[in-house]
Amino acid sequence: MATGYNFFCDLTENVGTVTISGETDGAEMSLLIKQAAAIHTIRKANFPSNVKFNNDTYTEPGTNNKSDLLSFKYFGTSTGLFTWFETSRTSNLPE
């Protein structure tokens, strides 16, 4: 992974576990998660244990066709943490 990446996840079904590999110290990542249109179904994404969210939790958008924009920074070898930390979140963005 280079120093910055942007990813999009359209939740058309539940996601088992999000896989992140090739991390380097100081890498930054943004993830746009969209809750796809569905009737009475809110889909979920599971994140690995080395992804830490503000307030220790993340709940996917609860409204169809709304998105959340999450940003993270990786702290690895230099700190011994080997962890992605959430740095910002914008919730319920319109389509």
Side-chain angles (χ1 to χ4, degrees):
M1 179 175 282
T3 56
Y5 278 96
N6 297 308
F7 299 98
F8 174 70
C9 180
D10 192 357
L11 292 176
T12 57
E13 60 185 312
N14 289 327
V15 175
T17 299
V18 174
T19 302
I20 306 167
S21 62
E23 300 93 333
T24 58
D25 276 334
E28 295 182 355
M29 168 180 65
S30 293
L31 175 61
L32 184 65
I33 299 176
K34 177 184 175 192
Q35 189 65 251
I39 299 173
H40 308 297
T41 303
I42 299 301
R43 294 176 177 98
K44 304 287 183 184
N46 296 307
F47 290 86
S49 61
N50 72 329
V51 175
K52 304 297 182 192
F53 293 98
N54 294 335
N55 300 320
D56 295 322
T57 188
Y58 172 66
T59 302
E60 292 76 1
T63 305
N64 293 335
N65 295 317
K66 295 285 184 170
S67 299
D68 289 351
L69 178 60
L70 309 171
S71 297
F72 299 89
K73 186 157 187 163
Y74 184 76
F75 292 89
T77 307
S78 64
T79 61
L81 296 172
F82 305 101
T83 301
W84 286 99
F85 289 96
E86 182 182 11
T87 57
S88 68
R89 180 186 310 184
T90 304
S91 298
N92 291 313
L93 294 167
E95 186 172 27

